[in-house]
Amino acid sequence: MIPFTAFAEVVAYAAGAALLAGAAGVSALYALRGRSIATLLAVVSAATVLATVAGIVAITLKMLISDHDRSVALTVTVIGGLVGLGVSLLLGHRLIGGTRSLLVSVRRAGESGRFRLPERRLPAELAELGTELSTAYENLDAARARERALESSRRELVAWVSHDLRTPLAGLRAMAEALEDEVVADRATVRQYHAQIRAETDRLTAMVDDLFELSRIHAGALRLSRQRVGLGDLVSETVAGTEPLARAKGVRLRGQAQGALPVEVDAAELGRALRNLVVNAIRHTPEDGGVEIVAGAEEGMAYVAVSDACGGIPDEDLPRLFDVAFRGEAARTPGGGAGLGLAIARGIVEAHAGQIGVSNAGPGCRFIVRLPLGA
Ligand SMILES: Nc1ncnc2c1ncn2[C@@H]1O[C@H](COP(=O)(O)OP(=O)(O)OP(=O)(O)O)[C@@H](O)[C@H]1O
Ligand SMILES: [Mg+2]
């Protein structure tokens, strides 16, 4: 039995020596902080062995154990330390292998744009890092695809718009020249030319106006002056504004609202979006067909649905309908629209935190706009 004071002394010596060894280990870790994980793990093993050896030496100095015991203790410690070092190196090797394979995956992703997780089993943290990287690359991929689609639709838009503007401008010029040179002189033709020049000018003005609206939407510069209005009133106004077009085409137009439906919207902008939907519906509905606008509330959202008798839209066109400059085959005829109406409608509805969608229904298709209901 060793006396208490001697025991306390041994503890103090051993702790002091271990602390010194620990401090040396920490300093070494700091100095080597940029080195490989394997080196750092070797330092940890070395510090542990050093602390134990320092403790044993401290006890020997107090002459509490015999030389023989000391040799045995030191040998055991060194063997233990060597085994520990081996295990550390093995762990370091595994970590380095995992990191390298992750690095290879990242490099390959840089070349191919597709990230594939390494096949080997990674330690939890590296596996988590790999999963995060995988998600990040997927998001990046999706963003790139969106960017490409937007870019190509912009290019198409420029091509189509310049074509759409050039054709009527050439016609206007030809008519103006004919009038100027008095190539046409009979009153009826002159009147017809004047009317045509006016109509074409109106169409071009509307197209330029649409382009301006679209560029404001894309630039995020759409300033909404929101007011509380009843969605039913907006529907009535839209019906009143598009009635002459429907009558001229022989299409029955009907508007209907269920309830008060208060919404906080920019009435002018939302009216424009609804008008675009209704004008499309009338344009694509044959004579004697019907167009119906219904406003209501559902699951805490207000909605306006515009149904027509267009005969259905091809399924492959449905997802692209709201793209800038998209026009169905039949619509790509001279005098048709520029393919801006639905893109504008979507931009306006989304600026109001709403959603717009389309589906085939009944004798035609149904566009539906959902908006948050005002409190
Ligand atoms: N109610 C509808 N019924 C059938 N097809 C539709 C309807 N609304 C839109 N489409 C199809 O979607 C295309 C895009 O519509 P959008 O309103 O964006 O352009 P547009 O009417 O051709 O031209 P713009 O509106 O610029 O004058 C149309 O060309 C047409 O093919
Ligand atoms: Mg349109």
Side-chain angles (χ1 to χ4, degrees):
M1 200 52 193
I2 42 171
F4 180 73
T5 43
F7 178 69
E9 226 172 321
V10 168
V11 169
Y13 270 102
L19 275 180
L20 276 180
V26 169
S27 314
L29 282 180
Y30 183 75
L32 298 172
R33 63 192 178 284
R35 294 296 179 87
S36 159
I37 292 172
T39 312
L40 300 183
L41 283 172
V43 169
V44 172
S45 297
T48 314
V49 174
L50 201 67
T52 318
V53 169
I56 292 169
V57 171
I59 308 169
T60 320
L61 285 179
K62 287 305 295 175
M63 287 182 284
L64 285 173
I65 55 173
S66 68
D67 279 359
H68 172 262
D69 289 352
R70 184 191 58 196
S71 309
V72 170
L74 280 179
T75 312
V76 169
T77 310
V78 169
I79 290 174
L82 283 177
V83 171
L85 188 67
V87 172
S88 302
L89 287 179
L90 212 67
L91 174 63
H93 182 71
R94 207 174 142 234
L95 279 176
I96 289 170
T99 321
R100 287 231 172 97
S101 59
L102 211 53
L103 212 66
V104 169
S105 293
V106 171
R107 257 189 221 130
R108 285 206 188 120
E111 288 157 12
S112 69
R114 286 190 60 81
F115 182 82
R116 287 167 61 96
L117 272 175
E119 265 160 29
R120 66 189 292 161
R121 188 152 168 211
L122 298 175
E125 286 80 4
L126 289 184
E128 201 179 335
L129 183 64
T131 316
E132 287 297 321
L133 276 171
S134 182
T135 317
Y137 269 96
E138 269 164 30
N139 290 344
L140 205 66
D141 215 35
R144 254 194 245 124
R146 264 201 307 277
E147 190 62 34
R148 267 199 303 275
L150 206 66
E151 186 53 44
S152 91
S153 90
R154 250 185 232 136
R155 235 178 289 129
E156 276 180 2
L157 174 71
V158 171
W160 280 356
V161 160
S162 49
H163 171 264
D164 279 21
L165 291 177
R166 219 180 298 131
T167 317
L169 281 175
L172 284 174
R173 193 195 160 95
M175 284 187 278
E177 269 174 6
L179 289 171
E180 197 176 26
D181 300 345
E182 295 181 4
V183 176
V184 289
D186 67 297
R187 285 176 73 97
T189 319
V190 168
R191 200 171 317 123
Q192 185 209 328
Y193 272 31
H194 279 148
Q196 220 168 318
I197 288 175
R198 226 189 102 114
E200 281 295 278
T201 317
D202 285 349
R203 207 170 67 80
L204 287 178
T205 309
M207 203 191 280
V208 170
D209 188 49
D210 275 356
L211 276 174
F212 184 60
E213 175 84 357
L214 203 60
S215 79
R216 281 201 308 163
I217 289 172
H218 281 172
L222 198 62
R223 296 270 164 273
L224 297 178
S225 59
R226 288 180 186 248
Q227 271 176 334
R228 168 172 298 240
V229 291
L231 204 51
D233 296 339
L234 263 182
V235 168
S236 306
E237 275 168 36
T238 311
V239 170
T242 48
E243 180 70 55
L245 184 68
R247 199 171 327 117
K249 223 198 139 187
V251 167
R252 278 171 284 115
L253 183 63
R254 212 158 66 92
Q256 184 193 334
Q258 296 149 0
L261 309 172
V263 282
E264 300 260 347
V265 296
D266 185 319
E269 293 292 347
L270 197 67
R272 178 178 194 146
L274 293 182
R275 202 162 46 246
N276 285 355
L277 296 184
V278 177
V279 168
N280 278 351
I282 296 172
R283 195 189 278 168
H284 293 279
T285 296
E287 205 180 323
D288 266 349
V291 169
E292 192 179 36
I293 312 162
V294 178
E298 203 177 66
E299 292 164 8
M301 298 280 272
Y303 72 86
V304 185
V306 180
S307 312
D308 63 18
C310 68
I313 297 174
D315 282 343
E316 66 269 21
D317 283 356
L318 283 177
R320 303 172 51 208
L321 230 52
F322 296 95
D323 288 357
V324 172
F326 174 79
R327 296 183 281 193
E329 279 305 323
R332 259 175 246 166
T333 45
L340 306 180
L342 288 180
I344 290 174
R346 178 170 69 177
I348 292 173
V349 170
E350 287 179 355
H352 282 91
Q355 299 141 15
I356 190 167
V358 60
S359 57
N360 283 317
C365 56
R366 196 166 101 111
F367 285 81
I368 185 155
V369 170
R370 288 178 208 282
L371 294 164
L373 260 179

